């Protein structure tokens, strides 16, 4: 029996603009998405249809887990009559704006695609993912990409390597709730992606921008204060709709100073982690043997 080890990487949103509200209630966005080397670990193997077993350290019912939802969608859309056994060890916090659930869903679809020998191309796997969440297609392409539409239209760009410090508050933030607080009049000013990309392709990261900061900072003023405390040293921004913030490391010589400052400043319950860019969203290793 074949078993796969799957690493599903988190993402940050280096630049995030909301363009307008759509008739279907969603919003058109333009986002520069970037994977970081901070991952959840999954193991997946096939079972006879329709058996499905999920073991995970995420304390939610299996039926609500995106891994199960991705399995169901995969068999529904492809018609493959397979069951699956999945082990999921989460390190990426939930409701953190790091796309952890989305990357788990993408890893499940990719794993099933390999185990069933269906060999669907990336765009077909991304189409399956899109039915479960706007963020999911990106993880099939990974690295650095521009997402448009609801977030499902992906254009890969040349990947660049940076280092960041992630700041994890001791709570998550609901994506749906934050999107629901957008007012029409807030959607008049947009950032210059052309200039951002011209610089990015040369390895220069301009100051990150996140449209949602004004909404999130109003509700969580402590996150605004964290940004203000680090801004004199380097760039800090929110990823997605939060709750994680990322600090851009411009020089390795700054790392110690920034960590010291954060350790002094952050209240109990906050965590930090130094990460670097990851050139992929999903990494799969095949393990053969008898299990
Ligand atoms: C904000 C972003 C940025 O990467 O990520 P997170 O902070 O969640 O990681 C994404 O736009 C989140 O994508 P994702 O988390 O997949 O959202 P979905 O499950 O598709 O949608 C959750 C809810 O957010 C709203 N939504 C989402 C995407 C979008 N383009 N417009 C929206 O209005 C809708 O109300 C939807 O019901
Ligand atoms: N495998 C999973 N990992 C994380 N969250 C999951 C998963 N399956 C379902 N969820 C649900 O999805 C929601 C947010 O997903 P997550 O990807 O962690 O956040 P974000 O979209 O902010 O990056 C949470 O409410 C969580 O309960």
């Amino acid at each position: 029996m074949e078993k796969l080890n799957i690493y599903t990487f988190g993402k940050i949103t280096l630049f995030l603009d909301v363009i307008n509200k759509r008739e279907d209630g969603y919003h058109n966005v333009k986002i520069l998405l970037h994977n970081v080397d901070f991952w959840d670990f999954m193991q997946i193997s096939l079972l006879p249809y329709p058996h499905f077993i999920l073991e995970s350290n995420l304390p939610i019912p299996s039926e609500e887990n995106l891994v199960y939802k991705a399995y169901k969608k995969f068999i529904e859309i492809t018609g493959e009559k397979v069951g699956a056994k999945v082990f999921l060890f989460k390190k990426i916090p939930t409701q953190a704006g790091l796309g952890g659930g989305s990357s788990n869903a993408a890893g499940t679809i990719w794993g099933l695609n390999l185990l069933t020998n269906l060999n669907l191309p990336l765009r077909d796997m991304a189409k399956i993912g899109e039915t479960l969440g706007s963020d999911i297609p990106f993880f099939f392409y990974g690295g650095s990409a521009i997402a448009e539409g609801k977030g499902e239209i992906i254009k890969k760009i040349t990947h660049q390597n940076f280092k960041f410090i992630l700041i994890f508050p001791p709570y998550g933030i609901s994506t749906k709730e934050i999107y629901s607080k957008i007012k029409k009049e807030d959607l008049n000013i947009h950032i210059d992606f052309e200039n951002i990309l011209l610089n990015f392709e040369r390895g220069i990261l301009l100051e990150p921008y996140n449209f949602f900061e004004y909404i999130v900072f109003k509700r969580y003023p402590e996150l605004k204060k964290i940004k203000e405390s680090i801004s004199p040293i380097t760039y800090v921004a929110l990823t997605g709709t939060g709750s994680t913030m990322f600090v851009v490391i411009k020089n390795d010589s700054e790392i110690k100073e920034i960590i010291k400052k954060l350790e002094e400043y952050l209240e109990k319950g906050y965590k930090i982690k130094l990460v670097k860019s990851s050139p992929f969203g999903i990494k799969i290793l095949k393990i053969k043997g008898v299990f």
Side-chain angles (χ1 to χ4, degrees):
M1 188 173 64
E2 203 174 17
K3 206 178 205 178
L4 302 176
N5 277 350
I6 306 181
Y7 299 83
T8 79
F9 292 74
K11 59 90 177 131
I12 56 176
T13 55
L14 291 177
F15 297 88
L16 188 164
D17 203 1
V18 178
I19 308 299
N20 53 30
K21 189 164 182 180
R22 303 154 47 122
E23 298 215 324
D24 61 7
Y26 278 78
H27 293 78
N28 284 313
V29 292
K30 190 153 182 175
I31 310 176
L32 200 170
L33 291 159
H34 188 75
N35 277 122
V36 287
D37 70 338
F38 179 40
W39 34 264
D40 289 337
F41 175 70
M42 299 174 62
Q43 260 190 352
I44 179 164
S45 53
L46 295 182
L47 289 177
Y49 178 80
H51 298 285
F52 181 87
I53 302 170
L54 174 62
E55 279 173 30
S56 171
N57 62 338
L58 181 66
I60 60 169
S62 285
E63 319 79 71
E64 287 172 26
N65 199 304
L66 276 158
V67 166
Y68 176 67
K69 292 183 184 173
Y71 158 75
K72 288 288 275 185
K73 271 288 170 212
F74 180 86
I75 58 169
E76 178 195 315
I77 293 176
T78 63
E80 287 292 306
K81 292 264 180 258
V82 290
K85 181 171 178 184
V86 184
F87 169 77
L88 165 67
F89 181 74
K90 284 205 69 79
K91 292 199 294 188
I92 302 174
T94 51
Q95 292 197 313
L98 294 164
S102 301
S103 73
N104 298 159
T108 305
I109 293 166
W110 201 326
L112 290 168
N113 186 39
L114 284 175
L115 291 169
T116 56
N117 295 314
L118 249 188
N119 297 322
L120 296 175
L122 289 182
R123 65 167 183 282
D124 289 3
M125 291 195 280
K127 275 265 165 229
I128 300 176
E130 185 187 319
T131 64
L132 293 166
S134 323
D135 246 3
I136 298 175
F138 163 70
F139 290 90
F140 293 102
Y141 299 94
S144 305
I146 298 293
E148 290 187 87
K150 286 197 285 181
E152 84 286 16
I153 303 168
I154 306 297
K155 188 171 153 244
K156 278 254 314 172
I157 56 174
T158 313
H159 185 62
Q160 303 293 342
N161 288 305
F162 304 108
K163 284 183 190 154
F164 309 93
I165 294 174
L166 303 180
I167 306 172
F168 309 110
Y171 48 81
I173 296 178
S174 157
T175 299
K176 200 178 176 75
E177 194 189 322
I178 300 301
Y179 266 106
S180 75
K181 294 208 164 103
I182 298 175
K183 294 195 197 81
K184 209 175 167 202
E185 60 268 28
D186 300 332
L187 298 172
N188 293 329
I189 300 166
H190 299 290
I191 51 171
D192 181 0
F193 258 92
E194 208 175 308
N195 188 35
I196 289 165
L197 286 175
L198 266 174
N199 281 281
F200 191 83
E201 303 257 337
R202 289 196 215 117
I204 302 163
L205 181 58
L206 298 182
E207 180 167 8
Y209 170 82
N210 185 322
F211 168 86
F212 291 114
E213 280 185 358
Y214 80 100
I215 299 175
V216 173
F217 287 174
K218 210 164 156 190
R219 168 83 175 75
Y220 302 93
E222 66 277 17
L223 297 184
K224 186 175 182 201
K225 287 202 183 128
I226 293 171
K227 177 158 176 155
E228 285 166 356
S229 83
I230 298 299
S231 291
I233 312 177
T234 183
Y235 302 144
V236 194
L238 190 74
T239 171
T241 53
S243 57
T244 307
M245 298 184 80
F246 61 93
V247 177
V248 179
I249 305 295
K250 290 183 188 155
N251 279 304
D252 282 4
S253 59
E254 295 168 345
I255 297 176
K256 267 194 185 155
E257 183 195 356
I258 296 168
I259 291 182
K260 188 162 173 272
K261 181 131 198 179
L262 285 171
E263 280 172 351
E264 277 165 14
Y265 189 84
L266 293 176
E267 285 172 20
K268 225 174 136 231
Y270 281 79
K271 288 190 178 127
I272 57 173
K273 187 172 173 58
L274 177 65
V275 296
K276 52 183 175 20
S277 306
S278 161
F280 29 67
I282 308 288
K283 183 172 155 188
I284 304 188
L285 301 175
K286 286 188 186 187
I287 8 171
K288 285 214 166 118
V290 181
F291 298 98

